């Protein structure tokens, strides 16, 4: 079946531009996560949705970062007034939760590589 | 927040040699997950460990969770070129968010 998809796969933005990154999770997955992965580092948590509710946004680095999931499926991560330090790969992941689920495996998308020049 | 430290940062082995990466925490971990990320790829789930002293095997991969639940290891027997990639441990915290270690990069020389 289809996995998590993300678009665009690559984005080059000039400093100060706004960008929007899209994530299509696996159908039926309630939980959706955004992570930021700098070169040579592990992914770092940004934010988490359960259905349309944003339950945790503690990892968003500044108020320039905003995420939404209005209908509980597709999610968009928006970065306003991009800075060079925002250059990274942005990974989206989804997982299944519910009664009887004991292994909270997260399925990652291919990521969007953002380069801010 | 919780931090998991991973060592070594990098390992280059001859094909057929064994490989081990270690994940350590100063506080008790509620669980540990392991992921593999191929060069240019995305993290792919390998396993979840929850119980103290737990050992799980997947073909040539052996995963352990320490008795005190403060460390974990991944051991690969007789590495192959297909094992190349970065191996991450991660703790799943409240709300199911993952806190990743920095990863161990494995290179295999054939």
């Amino acid at each position: 079946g289809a996995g998590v998809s993300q678009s665009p796969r690559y984005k080059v933005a000039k400093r100060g531009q706004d960008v929007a990154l899209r994530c299509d999770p696996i159908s039926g997955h309630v939980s959706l996560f955004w992570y930021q992965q700098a070169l040579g580092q592990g992914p770092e948590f940004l934010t988490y949705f359960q259905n349309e509710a944003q339950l945790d946004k503690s990892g968003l680095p500044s108020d320039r970062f905003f995420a939404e999931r209005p209908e509980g499926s597709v999610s968009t991560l928006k970065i306003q007034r991009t800075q060079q330090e925002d250059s990274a790969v942005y990974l989206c992941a989804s997982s299944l939760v519910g009664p009887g689920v004991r292994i909270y495996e997260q399925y990652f998308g291919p990521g969007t590589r953002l380069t801010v020049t | 927040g919780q931090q998991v430290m991973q060592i070594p940062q990098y390992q280059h082995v001859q094909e057929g040699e064994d490989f081990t990466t270690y994940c350590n925490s100063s506080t008790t971990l509620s669980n540990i997950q392991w992921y593999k990320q191929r060069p240019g790829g995305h993290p792919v789930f390998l396993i979840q460990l929850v119980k103290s002293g737990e050992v799980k095997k997947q073909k040539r991969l052996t995963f352990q969770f320490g008795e005190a639940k403060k460390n974990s290891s991944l051991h690969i027997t007789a590495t192959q070129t297909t094992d190349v990639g970065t191996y991450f441990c991660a703790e799943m915290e409240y709300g199911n968010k993952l806190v990743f270690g920095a990863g161990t990069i494995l290179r295999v020389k054939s």
Side-chain angles (χ1 to χ4, degrees):
Chain A
V4 177
S5 61
Q6 291 186 246
S7 61
R9 293 291 312 277
Y10 303 90
K11 176 71 180 177
V12 178
K14 291 190 175 174
R15 191 173 57 182
Q17 277 187 330
D18 298 349
V19 298
L21 313 180
R22 177 188 168 108
C23 172
D24 281 87
I26 293 173
S27 177
H29 278 195
V30 167
S31 296
L32 185 146
F33 305 83
W34 284 98
Y35 294 87
Q36 180 189 59
Q37 186 172 26
L39 191 64
Q41 300 295 318
E44 289 196 2
F45 171 79
L46 294 177
T47 187
Y48 160 56
F49 290 85
Q50 188 162 317
N51 294 306
E52 69 279 3
Q54 190 175 19
L55 299 186
D56 187 347
K57 53 182 181 179
S58 62
L60 296 176
S62 77
D63 58 8
R64 297 186 295 104
F65 286 71
F66 172 77
E68 60 183 5
R69 194 187 185 196
E71 297 177 358
S73 55
V74 170
S75 176
T76 304
L77 176 67
K78 297 179 179 177
I79 309 173
Q80 296 177 323
R81 304 182 303 281
T82 52
Q83 303 294 315
Q84 284 193 316
E85 62 262 28
D86 300 334
S87 296
V89 175
Y90 291 85
L91 294 164
C92 175
S94 69
S95 71
L96 192 61
V97 293
V101 175
R102 293 171 57 197
I103 296 179
Y104 295 99
E105 172 179 355
Q106 293 191 12
Y107 296 81
F108 283 81
T112 295
R113 181 176 298 276
L114 173 65
T115 304
V116 181
T117 60
Chain B
Q2 178 67 277
Q3 276 196 322
V4 286
M5 310 300 292
Q6 248 186 289
I7 53 170
Q9 185 178 358
Y10 179 86
Q11 191 148 11
H12 196 169
V13 301
Q14 188 72 38
E15 188 173 21
E17 290 182 340
D18 292 355
F19 160 77
T20 305
T21 173
Y22 300 89
C23 186
N24 299 298
S25 171
S26 57
T27 57
T28 303
L29 299 163
S30 56
N31 59 79
I32 201 83
Q33 294 189 359
W34 285 91
Y35 286 78
K36 176 183 179 182
Q37 186 171 23
R38 292 182 185 274
H42 56 275
V44 174
F45 176 85
L46 295 176
I47 207 133
Q48 176 177 294
L49 304 171
V50 178
K51 298 177 184 174
S52 167
E54 191 169 12
V55 178
K56 289 188 177 179
K57 293 192 175 186
Q58 291 178 352
K59 296 182 181 177
R60 294 178 296 103
L61 276 61
T62 302
F63 303 85
Q64 293 191 337
F65 203 6
E67 293 289 342
K69 297 181 75 173
K70 289 187 176 182
N71 56 76
S72 180
S73 65
L74 158 59
H75 179 82
I76 302 178
T77 304
T79 54
Q80 299 175 359
T81 54
T82 53
D83 295 326
V84 161
T86 303
Y87 292 84
F88 293 100
C89 62
E91 183 193 19
M92 188 175 65
E93 289 191 346
Y94 175 78
N96 298 341
K97 75 180 189 187
L98 292 173
V99 177
F100 283 85
T104 296
I105 298 170
L106 172 63
R107 291 289 177 258
V108 179
K109 202 165 31 174
S110 59

